[in-house]
Amino acid sequence: IAEHADTIEKSMRKITGLSRQSPVNYNQIIRWVNNKEEHAAELQHIVWQYFMTQRIKPTTEKYDKKLSVLHQMLLAAMKCKQTTDPQHVDRLRSLLGEFETLYFGRKQ
């Protein structure tokens, strides 16, 4: 998930940088937009399919909190698809850290 967030952020930087160039290279922008959206979709798939469907059961400790954080991660990934605002990637990373603590316990 963290690698997907890194790639999304890199794609956002590339899109922003390419958009400022003159002449604008629309082919490269489209490639980076597609890359950003593919990684955000893959991240959503991991969160939804792996964690929400397979790993987090109603009997799991802190079930509600884990589910809430995962849902917020899905929303942050959606916002990453829609914009090039890096604050959404920062939010995603923050949520990932929160989920890691909930899922694995306190980091030593």
Side-chain angles (χ1 to χ4, degrees), residues 30-64:
I30 289 169
R31 286 187 186 112
W32 282 107
V33 168
N34 288 337
N35 189 54
K36 175 178 68 100
E37 291 190 9
E38 287 171 11
H39 283 273
E42 181 63 26
L43 189 149
Q44 287 175 315
H45 180 78
I46 292 167
V47 168
W48 163 67
Q49 185 63 36
Y50 183 70
F51 287 103
M52 294 179 88
T53 304
Q54 297 176 29
R55 302 299 298 171
I56 308 300
K57 306 286 185 216
T59 57
T60 303
E61 185 179 330
K62 298 181 184 178
Y63 172 76
D64 293 339

Side-chain angles (χ1 to χ4, degrees), residues 58-79:
T59 57
T60 303
E61 185 179 330
K62 298 181 184 178
Y63 172 76
D64 293 339
K65 183 64 178 165
K66 290 175 184 175
L67 205 58
S68 174
V69 171
L70 288 170
H71 185 252
Q72 291 176 64
M73 287 173 69
L74 290 174
L75 295 175
M78 177 193 67
K79 289 292 186 181

